[in-house]
Amino acid sequence: MDAQRRPTGTGPVPGTPAVPGTGPVVGPGRSLFDGEQIGADETVSHQYAIPLRLPGYRSLPLSCIDSLTVTIDGDRVTADRTSLDLNAHRYPTTLLCSFPDVWWFALDPAAVLVALDEPLDPGPHTVTGELVTRDPHRPDEALPYTYSATSVLRVGGDAPDP
C-alpha cells in the first residue's frame, strides 16, 4: 500500500525527481532513504535534496528526533548545513527539538536538504543517513531508536556506479 502512495511524477521537494525502488530496509518494512538511488535538487546552487521516509510505523513530533545526520562520500555534513523539508516547510536540524507540535506522519515524504560550500562533482556519490528518534508515547524512557541507510546520489545526469 505504501508504494501506491509514493509520488510518481515529482519528489518531495519541487524539482526533485521521484525515485522508484524500496531502498535498504532499516525498520519494519520501511526505508529511511526513499529509493536505492537518489537524485539531486540542483535548482539551488550547491544544495541537494535527499528524499526520506520515516522508517517506523509510528508518526513522530519533530521534537522526538534527536539527530539527523548525513555523510557524503565519507565526509560528515555539519548539522548547521542541513534542514528537514516536510510538508512544504523547512526545519533546521539543529532546532528540531523545538517543534513539539509539528508531526511527521508515517506516510508523509520528506527530504533532508544539504547545503554545501562547493558543488559535488558530476557522477555518483555515496550518501549515508542516520536518524535517531525517541518514542513520543514513553517520555520517561530515553531509549533511542537508530535508523541508518546508504544510497547513491547521482549528480549531473547518468554516470557509472562508484
Side-chain angles (χ1 to χ4, degrees):
M1 181 170 178
D2 183 42
Q4 294 173 352
R5 294 181 180 255
R6 288 188 182 177
T8 55
T10 61
V13 176
T16 305
V19 180
T22 58
V25 175
V26 294
R30 300 291 303 248
S31 173
L32 177 62
F33 286 145
D34 193 15
E36 293 176 2
Q37 297 181 1
I38 49 184
D41 178 5
E42 297 178 87
T43 58
V44 178
S45 181
H46 316 316
Q47 179 168 297
Y48 303 91
I50 302 169
L52 298 177
R53 290 281 179 168
L54 193 58
Y57 64 92
R58 287 189 172 171
S59 302
L60 291 174
L62 295 187
S63 60
C64 286
I65 297 175
D66 288 339
S67 68
L68 175 58
T69 58
V70 175
T71 302
I72 300 176
D73 294 333
D75 296 323
R76 188 173 180 159
V77 179
T78 60
D80 64 325
R81 306 293 296 183
T82 61
S83 59
L84 181 69
D85 186 76
L86 178 67
N87 297 323
H89 297 284
R90 288 190 180 169
Y91 303 94
T93 56
T94 55
L95 300 176
L96 292 177
C97 62
S98 61
F99 296 104
D101 296 326
V102 177
W103 282 73
W104 184 358
F105 293 97
L107 295 178
D108 287 350
V112 61
L113 303 178
V114 178
L116 301 176
D117 291 328
E118 298 292 326
L120 293 171
D121 292 332
H125 298 273
T126 302
V127 178
T128 301
E130 182 177 89
L131 177 69
V132 180
T133 66
R134 287 175 283 110
D135 188 339
H137 306 290
R138 297 181 177 180
D140 297 333
E141 296 180 22
L143 298 173
Y145 296 92
T146 302
Y147 306 95
S148 62
T150 300
S151 193
V152 176
L153 171 66
R154 296 191 182 278
V155 177
D158 295 332
D161 288 334

